[in-house]
Amino acid sequence: MASKDKAQSASVPGKPWPKAASVDMAAWTKQASQSAPNGDVNALGWKTPDGIQLKALYTAEDLAGLAFTNTLPGFEPYLRGPQATMYTVRPWTIRQYAGFSTAEESNRFYRNALASGGQGVSVAFDLATHRGYDSDHPRVIGDVGKAGVAIDSVEDMKILFDGIPLDRVSVSMTMNGAVLPVLAGFIVAGEEQGVKPELLSGTIQNDILKEFMVRNTYIYPPTPSMRIVGDIIEYTAKHMPKFNSISISGYHMQEAGANQALELAFTLADGKEYVKTALAKGLDVDAFAGRLSFFFAIGMNFYLEVAKLRAARLLWWRIMNEFEPKNPKSFILRTHCQTSGWSLTEQDPYNNIVRTTVEAMAAVFGGTQSLHTNSFDEAIALPSETSSRIARNTQLILQEETHIGSVVDPWAGSYMMEKLTQEMADKAWEIILEVDAMGGMTRAVESGWAKLKIEAAAAEKQARIDSGSDVIVGVNQYQLASEDLVDVLVVDNDMVRNTQLTRLKSVKAKRDPAQVDAALAALTAAAENNSGNLLDLSVKAIRVRATVGEVSDALEKVYGRHRADTQKVTGVYAAAYDSAEGWEKLKVEITDFAKQVGRRPRVMIAKLGQDGHDRGAKVVATAFADLGFDVDMGPLFQTPEECARQAIENDVHALGVSTLAAGHKTLVPAIIQELKKQGADDIIVFVGGVIPRQDYDFLYEAGVKGIYGPGTPIPASAKDVLEQIRKAIQA
């Protein structure tokens, strides 16, 4: 009782606080070691995937030698934020990235979102549009409208933004491969709405280098693709002063498996390459640098994500100093962020609401300028309206109820955060210097080095999850005894495609063919002669109702279509898999199979349609190969006919289809029928990826032998595939 009275009296006004013990690290270490595993205090921390050792305790000594711990937001080096007042005056912009099948459906969603608190429009296009195909192209039968909105002409674009005032609402468009016809369609839609190009605001992603590393929605090879980037920066600098001509994206790198240091380094190295490309066009750095924007993923490594965004601004300021701009805005990194889609789980999916909230807070603490929060059901299907509302309201609650935005960079001065920010910057800078030594990011991408670095990180991460060393609640620990089905949005692929075909036919019937032919010929000539501005010529072609596919084809005549190689990393999954007993037992079973059958089990991993997200396919191929399977990788963007032919030629036992973009109900039955048609129905077919459980029976009835949804440990799927191969041989 006496000690309590003494503590209370110390806080009485006019009386000083009692004196605390001085910092004594030796005493803390001694006390902490009593509860630390094996008495090792260092084991209390965490070594991040980036190789940074997080300590359990940070003190003022950790700030020693750091150069930028006493800075202000809005001033060089911008570590604490690009604006002086940040969210205290203007909160971050709430954007919801969405595209639903047809332009009409997407327009309805955008208008509802804006009326419900959304502050900008962010457009997701379907894979056919991304890859520069019109909806009537035979290669995209299973892709039209499945992972975003289908856009074939400016008539679709006009419907997409009907009733949305483009002089007042900013529009972000995730488009890279078919960036010319899509951006041109947006410009012409604005014109025909009465909005001049100089009044349009928003961002076009236009980040082609990352497509060659991870997302794979490219069309042309790297060199001509970089010319397109430069032409767009040039055109927008002259005609669209409120529009961001490029969003340099690390998001898809982290989604493909990159750790935070790789994502940060490769994104900034891409940005540096784009600056050099624009300068080579003869532009002054201050004419465009202030309109560059960035785009980062925010995953579940909370501290690392906050530090990453702070380090990104610091490093971009350092990079831009090399180009000696005069305008202070040219040094500033501004960024959009999106919570991770990969961290969302099919199992116990309502946990994803919590994950998204944690990730959103990290983005805000890091100082993002705008934010998209993913919906809890996106590990299963396209988001429903209910889940989209919850995701949007997550941001509104953070803005309106928490007062988080009332303080600018509240992590400043934190011993841990300041040290971690510097360590993150140092790790990324090492990688940037490595890229520079190769001759820049274009060279690093063309060589395949950058892609393999990301794939190795992805394989390591999956192995840690599968072996249980990385805990995912509801997946590898704390699982539900049974999973309830979640209502998901289902897109009628046939309906969407028929709608698009009807509109395409109408557009072509009403236009002047001679005008279209002349505009497309001008594009082809400019590509051949390296003359003119390709965006300017695309705008002219779109005005006369050339289609997205026709504009893309006009350039493909000169540039061709890029084909990626199918190399994969080896040994990485096995090295990181921390469950040796089960792993070794499965390897023995595969060795026994080879002795009995006379060869090892052979599988082919395939991606069908225009879905270029190949993280899952590459990780599965790596792990199966490390176990002892013979593994073939099919090239991206195969048709069922091409895939079946390769599987037969390679004499595989099993064909695994990796799917992410909701085309499985069209493309998987098609590959099974094609195998039968070509006399190879003894090849078993298994499927992995984002597949709603509601679709499992449909796929099994179609002839699929195994379905492995998100969260399935790869060794478990490998064991099942081996058993299915045995059964097929015995039959």
Side-chain angles (χ1 to χ4, degrees), residues 8 19 126 203 249 317 332 349 390 412 428 432 475 512 546-547 554 587:
Q8 288 177 336
K19 188 175 181 180
D126 76 349
T203 304
S249 174
W317 167 78
I332 301 174
I390 293 170
I432 290 171
V475 175
D512 183 333
T547 68
K587 287 183 70 176

Side-chain angles (χ1 to χ4, degrees), residues 4-72:
K4 182 179 179 183
D5 291 341
K6 183 178 180 181
Q8 288 177 336
S9 68
S11 62
V12 172
K15 292 204 173 187
W17 286 94
K19 188 175 181 180
S22 59
V23 174
D24 186 341
M25 281 301 298
W28 178 85
T29 301
K30 181 179 179 181
Q31 184 174 333
S33 65
Q34 294 173 7
S35 56
N38 301 318
D40 181 9
V41 174
N42 292 327
L44 294 174
W46 174 52
K47 189 169 185 179
T48 75
D50 318 73
I52 297 171
Q53 181 64 53
L54 275 181
K55 301 191 298 181
L57 178 71
Y58 288 80
T59 68
E61 292 182 1
D62 289 292
L63 300 183
L66 301 187
F68 302 110
T69 58
N70 187 24
T71 67
L72 290 171

